[in-house]
Amino acid sequence: MKTYTSLVRKTDEKIGLFHKELMALSDDLADHPEVGGQEYRTTEKMTALLREKGFTVTYPFAGLETAYKAVFGNNDHKYKIALLAEYDALPELGHACGHCLSGSISILAGIALSALQDDLDVDIHIIGTPDEEYNGGKPKMIRTGAFDDYDMAMMIHLYDANQVYTKLRALDTYTYYFHGKAAHASAAPWDGHNAFNACQLFFHAIDMLRQHVKTDIQIHGIIRNPGEAPNIVPEEVSAELYIRGFDRPYLNQVNKMIDDCAAGAAIATQTTWEKKATAERYDNLLILPFGNALLAETYEEMGLTLNGNPEELFGSSDCGNVSFVCPVFHPTLQVVDKGVPIHTREFADAMKTDRAHKALATGAGIICRHVIKMLADEENLKKLKTEFEEKKA
């Protein structure tokens, strides 16, 4: 029987063998960023490399033009693991969230783990998941069954600290529309109903609400079209909001409170209102303490200090949605100095440094070791599945 050490050595050899090739891929993606839903060149590059390494690729996949699934071998083993690859960039900022590197980490880990399919009786699937930053590709993929039947899924997020999990907030994105009546603002203002005033009052009402919701709730928004000219009573004004919280049921309650703010603002200004979802709903991440404890052992084993606080603000991701379908691990790996935030030009500039290139191999090593720990001992996987079912209930 193969030992943990021998299995790790096998994947480390593969990581060393293909590291430079994946480093070149990550750098190329950093140089050619593509925003969510438009990652055509990116996915062509990724899927071409995977085919070359012996993976069977389905592309497009799960109803999305820039999603893919890559499977190594005959897909006939006892276990199935999904490695999630993200690769969309941000407008203007490029890969300021590090997806060029994190997606490459998942691919490198998948290539390395393919060497252990028979040893661990596992099928390795690399799932390309587009449009994480805004519209949410993963919820759409979930509805097609793309993440069904996996024993676990995993990816690594780049960050300014090492953490075994991230406490993701659930996120809802809505646009509120206020409908008024245009009129000359000087000659006949009494004939108008001011949609901009309604929107202003809506934001004031939200500000009054903030002091009466739980501390994890975040509400932030912008006004899209405040009006056409000062002498025209604004007829149509919209506001886009992001509403976040750690607990999905409570976030749903907050949404109703915000609807009341809109209704009250409309009544006060003699306007009407409606709202539409602007993007997919993101769920919070299910935290799995047993699995995270094993992951902490891996970080220690690799000489990585856990120097972040997972309870601090992080943001939202559609990985949270997947975590209610199968067990998901979403740790972070430090690639910049402490205090350099994601979604900044500084973070984007860090993606082609020696530190980032080293993190590529380190991240793949973390994923490989965690998968080996979970599958080499069946008791570990049983405990994980039990914990997952309890947390999901």
Side-chain angles (χ1 to χ4, degrees):
M1 182 171 177
K2 299 290 179 69
T3 64
Y4 171 75
T5 302
S6 66
L7 294 173
V8 166
R9 187 182 304 119
K10 205 169 179 179
T11 54
D12 281 350
E13 288 172 358
K14 287 281 188 180
I15 290 170
L17 184 62
F18 295 107
H19 179 221
K20 285 187 178 179
E21 193 170 356
L22 270 297
M23 189 169 71
L25 174 68
S26 179
D27 286 355
D28 181 76
L29 301 186
D31 288 336
H32 300 91
E34 295 177 303
V35 297
Q38 303 297 316
E39 313 98 324
Y40 295 103
R41 182 186 183 277
T42 299
T43 47
E44 288 290 347
K45 287 278 185 178
M46 286 182 157
T47 55
L49 186 149
L50 286 163
R51 288 190 182 97
E52 183 184 303
K53 299 298 178 266
F55 284 75
T56 300
V57 176
T58 302
Y59 171 64
F61 175 63
L64 299 181
E65 290 185 356
T66 54
Y68 66 84
K69 178 168 77 170
V71 179
F72 190 84
N74 296 324
N75 201 32
D76 56 0
H77 292 83
K78 181 177 180 180
Y79 303 115
K80 294 191 188 303
I81 300 295
L83 302 184
L84 309 180
E86 296 178 349
Y87 36 81
D88 60 318
L90 291 160
E92 305 299 326
L93 294 179
H95 279 286
C97 207
H99 289 173
C100 57
L101 183 56
S102 65
S104 298
I105 286 172
S106 292
I107 291 176
L108 182 55
I111 292 170
L113 283 167
S114 67
L116 301 185
Q117 288 206 282
D118 292 334
D119 293 317
L120 297 176
D121 201 7
V122 62
D123 290 313
I124 303 300
H125 294 191
I126 300 171
I127 310 294
T129 61
D131 205 4
E132 183 272 339
E133 292 291 353
Y134 187 66
N135 289 305
K138 295 182 191 70
K140 299 180 180 74
M141 297 172 75
I142 286 170
R143 291 194 289 272
T144 71
F147 302 103
D148 293 350
D149 303 321
Y150 285 112
D151 294 286
M152 61 171 269
M154 187 170 182
M155 64 165 286
I156 287 182
H157 202 292
L158 286 311
Y159 203 42
D160 71 339
N162 298 318
Q163 301 175 176
V164 294
Y165 71 93
T166 49
K167 196 168 182 182
L168 300 177
R169 280 176 165 83
L171 166 67
D172 291 329
T173 308
Y174 292 110
T175 298
Y176 284 79
Y177 300 88
F178 292 92
H179 308 289
K181 181 184 176 185
H184 195 291
S186 176
W190 48 83
D191 285 337
H193 300 299
N194 196 314
F196 180 68
N197 284 351
C199 198
Q200 283 190 94
L201 194 55
F202 175 53
F203 273 94
H204 288 317
I206 289 172
D207 286 340
M208 299 302 103
L209 177 64
R210 292 180 200 277
Q211 62 187 302
H212 300 293
V213 295
K214 294 179 181 178
T215 55
D216 63 289
I217 294 296
Q218 293 181 329
I219 309 165
H220 30 267
I222 57 173
I223 296 174
R224 283 290 185 192
N225 51 325
E228 301 301 326
N231 65 341
I232 302 172
V233 174
E235 183 176 34
E236 301 284 342
V237 176
S238 62
E240 185 175 0
L241 297 186
Y242 280 14
I243 310 158
R244 306 179 197 254
F246 285 143
D247 179 63
R248 164 54 65 188
Y250 183 64
L251 186 63
N252 293 341
Q253 293 180 38
V254 173
N255 282 330
K256 293 178 182 178
M257 297 177 195
I258 293 173
D259 288 349
D260 288 343
C261 292
I267 290 171
T269 55
Q270 297 296 290
T271 58
T272 60
W273 72 281
E274 62 178 321
K275 77 171 183 178
K276 296 179 182 177
T278 313
E280 293 283 343
R281 302 176 81 186
Y282 287 15
D283 286 331
N284 52 291
L285 185 77
L286 279 184
I287 306 301
L288 303 169
F290 169 72
N292 289 336
L294 284 183
L295 193 50
E297 292 177 8
T298 294
Y299 273 70
E300 182 179 359
E301 175 188 326
M302 298 188 70
L304 298 169
T305 302
L306 295 175
N307 56 354
N309 180 1
E311 298 297 314
E312 289 181 349
L313 298 179
F314 185 84
S316 305
S317 170
D318 55 5
C319 264
N321 300 61
V322 183
S323 77
F324 285 84
V325 180
C326 69
V328 169
F329 294 96
H330 189 265
T332 68
L333 180 61
Q334 185 174 8
V335 73
V336 292
D337 291 340
K338 292 281 285 184
V340 177
I342 56 176
H343 289 208
T344 61
R345 295 192 187 280
E346 292 82 358
F347 203 90
D349 291 342
M351 288 303 101
K352 293 177 64 179
T353 62
D354 290 342
R355 191 173 186 178
H357 294 157
K358 182 179 178 182
L360 173 61
T362 302
I366 291 169
I367 292 175
C368 289
R369 283 163 171 76
H370 194 53
V371 170
I372 293 168
K373 280 190 171 87
M374 279 297 173
L375 298 185
D377 184 345
E378 283 195 4
E379 286 304 309
N380 285 342
L381 192 58
K382 287 179 182 176
K383 289 177 183 177
L384 176 66
K385 289 185 175 181
T386 298
E387 184 174 65
F388 169 69
E389 293 299 332
E390 290 173 351
K391 292 285 184 180
K392 189 176 68 167

